[in-house]
Amino acid sequence: MIILVTGASGFIGFHLTKKLIESGNSVIGIDNLNNYYDPNLKIARLNILKKLSSKNEKKFKFIKADLKNRKIIDEIFDNHEITHVVNLAAQAGVRYSITNPDSYIDSNLIGFFNIIENCKRKKIKHFLYASSSSVYGGNTKTPFSELDTVDHPVSLYGATKKCNELIAHTYSHLYNLPTTGLRFFTVYGPWGRPDMALFLFTKAILENKPIKVFNEGNMVRDFTYIDDVIHGLMYLINKPATNKSDFNKSEPDSSSSWCPYKVFNLGNSNPIPLMDFIKEIEKSLGKSAKKEYLPLQQGDVPATFSAPDLLNEWINFKPNTSVQKGISEFITWYKDFYKTKI
Ligand SMILES: NC(=O)c1ccc[n+]([C@@H]2O[C@H](COP(=O)([O-])OP(=O)(O)OC[C@H]3O[C@@H](n4cnc5c(N)ncnc54)[C@H](O)[C@@H]3O)[C@@H](O)[C@H]2O)c1
């Protein structure tokens, strides 16, 4: 079994690759180390993976490559006996997609296509990919269920993730490729992304700068701890999507199909008001934040809330880390990594 992880030096890809190596798997990691955020953080993650693999009989090979380069992606699949693929490389971020749409088309559509085409060509046993809670777009019915329609995206980012699900279904149907899409909900934790709230708030508070509180603080997020996400992914890799034998085409269920296709939420199912999240950060840092209240940003949504049932039925797993623990783990990592005195 050789697992290809794309976005291996990204936040989630790093944690997944680390867990896979530690569990004795052979992993090939791809990343283009782009500068959407500080590439030094990506390189630091990568150095940990390289060090770990030297202790684990060289179980990890890193290839710097861009998903949109079809020739290179084809060569990677031709040169290695890849059996499983986890596609985490993407242009992430809702707000950035308003100003930089091209990069979402390149990575999330062309890049995704180049990977799934190779999964078809090489008859990969299981193709997993990152979708997002952003596919729920303008929906206000909570919790967000995989059975709800997701036809009203409010950001190009969300639209590309929904496209990924549609493309995956087509490949599951036409080529019998087992595909599983995971709708992640605001993943946070050590080695987290510098463009996300926990990182931005922690940094600003420590530097005595104001934090930007959007929608005047009236936001609710289903924050999901990284270890829970990795736990779920580790179960899922070894459980390829199957077809649903009693699938009813006249009343279609959007999380499964007559072909080997699944889509699941991977969220904490315990939404936290943004102001409570900020209070927890302040508590953990022992310092108050200066707050700058701002309106809701374009492309953003006021609330996310994941329904846990379908994933729980499928792998008997539900995320369960509290934000108190998660925030504290993040801050411990942040202070250590950035050598912060406080
Ligand atoms: N973190 C979250 O809260 C969250 C929520 C929903 C969905 N997701 C999705 O999960 C996946 C992983 O997210 P993350 O938080 O780890 O983000 P990340 O930005 O830390 O990781 C993505 C990695 O992919 C790489 N990459 C981007 N485009 C590439 C390309 N064209 N070719 C090769 N490498 C490329 C980047 O350099 C980066 O290291 C993404 O698909 C993201 O959209 C994340």
Side-chain angles (χ1 to χ4, degrees):
M1 176 162 163
I2 299 182
I3 304 164
L4 174 75
V5 178
T6 74
S9 55
F11 169 40
I12 302 175
F14 157 70
H15 282 282
L16 178 66
T17 305
K18 183 167 173 286
K19 186 58 146 191
L20 286 168
I21 300 169
E22 286 166 349
S23 316
N25 293 284
S26 298
V27 186
I28 295 167
I30 301 180
D31 204 295
N32 66 357
L33 300 171
N34 68 45
N35 61 3
Y36 167 60
Y37 60 79
D38 184 6
N40 289 319
L41 180 58
K42 299 180 184 183
I43 291 163
R45 295 178 185 132
L46 205 50
N47 287 339
I48 291 183
L49 296 178
K50 286 180 178 163
K51 214 166 156 186
L52 190 65
S53 68
S54 65
K55 289 188 204 137
N56 283 267
E57 300 159 42
K58 302 206 176 351
K59 288 279 191 189
F60 175 61
K61 178 173 175 184
F62 178 73
I63 303 168
K64 185 172 180 218
D66 196 311
L67 257 52
K68 72 173 190 278
N69 187 330
R70 178 62 185 271
K71 192 168 164 284
I72 289 175
I73 300 301
D74 285 357
E75 278 169 17
I76 293 171
F77 276 85
D78 283 338
N79 295 340
H80 303 88
E81 298 292 315
I82 296 163
T83 55
H84 295 67
V85 174
V86 188
N87 188 50
L88 298 171
Q91 178 57 59
V94 166
R95 292 165 193 164
Y96 189 71
S97 69
I98 307 289
T99 46
N100 294 276
D102 300 46
S103 117
Y104 293 77
I105 301 303
D106 287 347
S107 296
N108 304 10
L109 296 183
I110 297 170
F112 182 91
F113 169 72
N114 289 342
I115 294 290
I116 201 169
E117 259 296 292
N118 274 290
C119 292
K120 169 191 98 180
R121 197 166 68 87
K122 296 292 178 181
K123 297 192 173 20
I124 293 302
K125 290 189 186 1
H126 192 191
F127 172 61
L128 299 97
Y129 61 96
S131 181
S132 167
S133 61
S134 296
V135 299
Y136 290 103
N139 292 10
T140 54
K141 175 184 155 280
T142 53
F144 294 159
S145 161
E146 299 90 331
L147 306 178
D148 298 337
T149 57
V150 286
D151 293 332
H152 302 90
V154 295
S155 66
L156 183 64
Y157 171 65
T160 61
K161 292 294 181 179
K162 158 91 174 172
C163 285
N164 289 171
E165 295 179 359
L166 295 172
I167 294 168
H169 186 272
T170 313
Y171 277 67
S172 296
H173 166 65
L174 290 175
Y175 311 115
N176 208 32
L177 175 70
T179 67
T180 302
L182 283 319
R183 294 177 180 169
F184 297 136
F185 283 69
T186 320
V187 187
Y188 74 104
W191 298 96
R193 268 181 24 217
D195 62 325
M196 293 184 70
L198 179 55
F199 194 113
L200 291 168
F201 290 171
T202 302
K203 185 170 190 291
I205 295 170
L206 287 170
E207 291 173 0
N208 298 315
K209 292 184 178 152
I211 63 169
K212 290 187 170 139
V213 183
F214 291 106
N215 206 28
E216 318 290 336
N218 295 314
M219 302 263 263
V220 174
R221 281 287 175 278
D222 202 354
F223 295 99
T224 311
Y225 191 59
I226 184 68
D227 288 4
D228 288 330
V229 169
I230 301 308
H231 214 86
L233 284 173
M234 292 295 286
Y235 277 125
L236 285 159
I237 288 172
N238 291 309
K239 188 159 175 167
T242 52
N243 57 322
K244 192 174 181 192
S245 52
D246 59 351
F247 188 81
N248 183 353
K249 284 189 185 176
S250 62
E251 281 180 52
D253 140 17
S254 34
S255 80
S256 64
S257 184
W258 61 86
C259 54
Y261 168 87
K262 300 276 182 205
V263 164
F264 295 110
N265 289 338
L266 216 175
N268 206 41
S269 310
N270 182 24
I272 309 283
L274 180 62
M275 297 315 289
D276 291 354
F277 191 70
I278 294 170
K279 271 190 207 128
E280 254 340 298
I281 302 173
E282 292 175 323
K283 204 157 57 166
S284 207
L285 286 172
K287 203 170 166 197
S288 305
K290 294 176 193 156
K291 301 171 190 89
E292 183 186 353
Y293 291 97
L294 295 163
L296 187 70
Q297 287 213 310
Q298 252 202 325
D300 230 340
V301 295
T304 64
F305 182 177
S306 157
D309 317 306
L310 294 184
L311 183 68
N312 200 13
E313 275 165 32
W314 183 241
I315 55 169
N316 194 19
F317 169 72
K318 206 179 145 316
N320 57 13
T321 306
S322 68
V323 287
Q324 288 78 5
K325 178 175 163 19
I327 288 176
S328 149
E329 294 285 340
F330 172 82
I331 287 174
T332 304
W333 166 78
Y334 185 96
K335 285 178 170 173
D336 179 54
F337 186 71
Y338 290 103
K339 307 275 176 274
T340 312
K341 293 274 176 328
I342 297 167

